[in-house]
Amino acid sequence: MSDEKKKKSQKSKFRIYAEFIPFWCLYKIMRIMNLHLAYFLSRQLFKVMYLLDCRHRTRAIAHLQHAGVAHNTDDARRMAKESYMNFSMLLAEIFKLDQLIKPGMVKVVGSEATIREACKTDGGNINLIVVTAHYGNWELAGSCWAREFKIPMVSVFRRFANPLIGDYILRSRQSDVHKSVPKDGGIKGMLKALREGKTVAILADQHANAKEGVETVFFGQPCRTHGSPALLHLKTGVPIVPQLTRRVGNNFNFEFVVGDMIRYTPTDDKEKDVQNIAQMYTSALEKMIAEAPTQWMWSHRRWL
């Protein structure tokens, strides 16, 4: 991003605090509520947001039809609203994460071969490149994965437009076994983590620009996907595991859904290798998202 664009995108101090104060009040209120009351309050807020946020509501409805997940406009509207309600639950869970996390709360399901090889319970686990998505409760995944499989994790985050809100969100993510590094310049930190035997987690389900992304197909439509997991795999040989954190019911229960482990033999064409690997984890995420599609964030930009 150019200096001029950065300057335009920066928020004034007044706007930062104007956004942060209601956020902070909501945070404090939900902290003293029980989970289901916090869910209820958050749902009411997201119902209002769904009505008022025309841009993202329209995009979600269009994406559901574009991907062929919804059969018609009415179906797309219903699914878009369900997706908003899923993320209303996520907001309450982020605010109360440290109050809710407990050992053994996440069950691992999916590829039996991956679970057997990479998700052992005897402490003999291998480190991985976990490729995940804005699905279910992805904020929960870092610390729980690291604790479950006894390997520290490093995840990548995009800097928040509001730094005060960002500090609160990041605080809920990090723990003694899970650290976050900013996306800008993060590739060096991820390489270092992998070479130290740590697991790295990367969200790879949003539109990537021409510099960072490669062309792939997602739900039958062309898109551009972040190629950094593929590059890390080619540089280190550490296996890639596609993974989602799927919500089960309404009582803070989740599943780690894992796909087939990706190990790729490189050729002399690095550019094609990156594209092939990116398509492999994109297709794997698509397959898992399709099992419960309303838990995915349909309102963000994905397709070209």
Side-chain angles (χ1 to χ4, degrees), residues 213-225:
V214 294
E215 290 187 11
T216 57
V217 175
F218 185 62
F219 281 99
Q221 304 296 334
C223 63
R224 194 174 288 118
T225 296

Side-chain angles (χ1 to χ4, degrees), residues 95-113:
F95 285 171
K96 298 178 70 63
L97 206 56
D98 63 309
Q99 299 173 343
L100 298 168
I101 288 180
K102 55 186 182 292
M105 58 173 290
V106 182
K107 178 184 176 184
V108 184
V109 300
S111 168
E112 290 185 14

Side-chain angles (χ1 to χ4, degrees), residues 3 16 56 81 110 125 134 178 196 217 242 261 291 294-295:
D3 291 342
I16 287 172
H56 288 99
K81 192 169 185 179
N125 302 307
H134 294 85
H178 174 225
E196 290 174 349
V217 175
M261 190 179 294
E291 293 174 3
T294 57
Q295 291 199 35

Side-chain angles (χ1 to χ4, degrees), residues 171-185:
R171 201 179 305 161
S172 73
R173 285 181 186 172
Q174 306 213 65
S175 69
D176 56 335
V177 291
H178 174 225
K179 304 299 177 188
S180 296
V181 297
K183 179 186 169 187
D184 42 317

